[in-house]
Amino acid sequence: MDEKYLQLFVDETSLTNQLVLGALLPEKIWTPLPHFFQTWLRNYTAGTLVYFITSFLWSFYVYFYKYNVYVPKDAIPSRKAMGLQIYVAMKAMPWYCLLPTISEYMVENGWTRCFSRISDVGWFSYALNLGFYLILVEFGIYWMHRELHDIKPLYKYLHATHHIYNKQNTLSPFAGLAFHPVDGILQAVPHVIALFLVPTHFTTHIGLLFIEAIWTANIHDCVDGKIWPVMGAGYHTIHHTTYRHNYGHYTVWMDWMFGTLRDPLEDEETKKM
């Protein structure tokens, strides 16, 4: 890529920094910072807002507005449990935000296969490549998550931080980002690896990273949406209680292919027998 085209990526991140930081922080705090640190601060600010707004609204809806409808009273997590999850997530958030910041830096320097405008490739190619991107991410996250369980030191020193929430009355949307920071980064790394393998729309990549925060909040609320083949909270709750099933991310396909799928409906029937 020539410098003129790479400047499109820099212009886009600069505009996003201006829109987010300019709306939320005094200019004297962020304008003197180098571009890389402005981008990190934008990711940190936006990531924190997405985490709190999504988790708070979803918790309010499920646990208070729809009290005892989706989740039995004895399965509603305590404020103490949710407070601990917030504490763990906030300790890790500055580190989580390094990953999208570094990925944006790599894109701006032409190290990836990203493109700036959908018109550069056309809508058909955009949709096709997005499909490949999502399959690679699904595959990568499945195996990263599975190895975080199977490799004992990785589980003991990293992933166990997340799995202290292993019952319905300890899981909540706030647990979605309550990871050891290295664990959280490792599980998002497939998003970055895919940039080197598949032509990817830059804005779409950044958007998908932030959708992760919304998705992880949703799958930790213990409410089974029953939308096949989505790997929703019903499947993920089983993962937190058995530790050996449902490692997948958005869909059930990888667990089905590699023999680790456990269906919530079958699980329910087994308990009744």
Side-chain angles (χ1 to χ4, degrees):
M1 294 183 190
D2 60 31
E3 289 188 18
K4 189 175 179 182
Y5 192 85
L6 292 177
Q7 187 61 39
L8 294 174
F9 298 123
V10 177
D11 291 344
E12 185 173 336
T13 54
S14 297
L15 177 61
T16 310
N17 292 345
Q18 172 70 47
L19 290 173
V20 174
L21 297 177
L24 298 171
L25 297 173
E27 285 195 4
K28 64 181 180 181
I29 291 178
W30 63 273
T31 49
L33 297 174
H35 179 73
F36 181 88
F37 292 104
Q38 286 186 18
T39 301
W40 175 85
L41 185 59
R42 178 252 293 168
N43 286 325
Y44 176 72
T45 305
T48 301
L49 281 174
V50 168
Y51 172 73
F52 276 108
I53 291 171
T54 303
S55 300
F56 177 79
L57 290 178
W58 198 240
S59 295
F60 177 81
Y61 180 77
V62 173
Y63 303 137
F64 297 97
Y65 185 71
K66 291 290 184 178
Y67 181 73
N68 207 30
V69 175
Y70 294 119
V71 178
K73 286 184 284 187
D74 60 351
I76 295 175
S78 66
R79 291 181 182 177
K80 182 179 179 181
M82 289 190 279
L84 177 60
Q85 290 158 14
I86 292 169
Y87 172 72
V88 173
M90 285 299 96
K91 273 207 312 182
M93 186 66 76
W95 302 101
Y96 292 159
C97 295
L98 272 178
L99 186 66
T101 306
I102 291 170
S103 75
E104 290 181 55
Y105 178 83
M106 292 190 295
V107 170
E108 290 168 355
N109 284 276
W111 301 348
T112 70
R113 300 188 68 187
C114 271
F115 54 90
S116 175
R117 302 163 297 206
I118 295 175
S119 59
D120 293 336
V121 297
W123 280 99
F124 177 78
S125 181
Y126 165 77
L128 189 65
N129 285 318
L130 178 59
F132 285 134
Y133 174 94
L134 290 172
I135 290 168
L136 277 171
V137 167
E138 192 79 16
F139 179 84
I141 291 177
Y142 171 86
W143 280 106
M144 186 68 76
H145 191 183
R146 184 166 172 173
E147 294 310 307
L148 281 161
H149 279 266
D150 290 348
I151 299 173
K152 287 183 169 50
L154 292 182
Y155 182 82
K156 180 178 179 181
Y157 296 108
L158 299 180
H159 201 52
T161 299
H162 184 65
H163 270 276
I164 62 172
Y165 318 111
N166 58 3
K167 297 176 183 175
Q168 270 199 328
N169 61 1
T170 61
L171 285 166
S172 84
F174 290 103
L177 292 180
F179 291 89
H180 186 287
V182 176
D183 182 358
I185 289 170
L186 285 174
Q187 292 199 59
V189 157
H191 276 282
V192 178
I193 293 173
L195 298 181
F196 293 89
L197 303 174
V198 181
T200 304
H201 183 231
F202 178 48
T203 308
T204 301
H205 161 69
I206 297 301
L208 286 169
L209 281 175
F210 277 91
I211 286 171
E212 291 283 324
I214 299 170
W215 178 247
T216 55
N218 177 265
I219 63 173
H220 286 89
D221 63 10
C222 300
V223 179
D224 188 0
K226 299 178 182 177
I227 306 173
W228 186 90
V230 175
M231 179 68 75
Y235 288 96
H236 199 70
T237 302
I238 289 172
H239 172 74
H240 272 266
T241 55
T242 71
Y243 297 78
R244 307 305 302 172
H245 301 90
N246 304 349
Y247 299 104
H249 192 50
Y250 289 124
T251 72
V252 303
W253 295 117
M254 294 299 159
D255 283 282
W256 175 75
M257 285 173 61
F258 297 111
T260 53
L261 185 64
R262 185 161 168 177
D263 192 292
L265 294 177
E266 292 177 6
D267 204 52
E268 199 71 30
E269 290 172 10
T270 304
K271 289 177 182 176
K272 291 177 182 177
M273 293 173 65

